[in-house]
Amino acid sequence: MDAGGCQGVLGLTEEEAALIEIKLALARGIKERRLSLRLIQEDLAKQLRSSQSRVAKMEASDATVSMDFLVRSLLVLGATTQEVGRVIARSSAAPAA
């Protein structure tokens, strides 16, 4: 279930649901970009000076991962600011369940 579907069940405000959707979109964007570059999580971890388990948490939208780290990771993977914006925009384009 996406954040939009969880909104009513969890009693989230529209803003809280939107933030969750953005975080999910960033996480998907990181994984998609990493895979398109044929990198394994360990490769990305080295570029970020982090760990493979942290990359796995990023890609799973773990609550312990900050949005700025997600954005920075996309930039490290070569995304432009416009591409980051498109990733975020896709979060609002998805229909709510």
Side-chain angles (χ1 to χ4, degrees), residues 73-86:
S73 298
L74 275 170
L75 296 172
V76 165
L77 285 168
T80 64
T81 54
Q82 291 82 7
E83 289 168 326
V84 172
R86 282 193 290 274

Side-chain angles (χ1 to χ4, degrees), residues 10-21:
L10 298 177
L12 300 176
T13 66
E14 286 185 36
E15 295 81 12
E16 291 167 330
L19 284 172
I20 291 170
E21 288 292 341

Side-chain angles (χ1 to χ4, degrees), residues 29-82:
I30 291 167
K31 185 173 184 175
E32 289 169 4
R33 191 163 192 91
R34 177 182 64 78
L35 292 174
S36 74
L37 294 170
R38 297 181 181 191
L39 298 174
I40 60 173
Q41 288 180 344
E42 208 167 80
D43 296 331
L44 177 54
K46 286 178 187 173
Q47 290 182 27
L48 294 170
R49 296 187 186 116
S50 190
S51 65
Q52 176 276 324
S53 63
R54 190 76 175 149
V55 171
K57 286 181 179 184
M58 280 190 326
E59 292 182 357
S61 291
D62 188 276
T64 63
V65 180
S66 68
M67 295 249 281
D68 63 324
F69 192 59
L70 294 172
V71 170
R72 185 169 83 79
S73 298
L74 275 170
L75 296 172
V76 165
L77 285 168
T80 64
T81 54
Q82 291 82 7

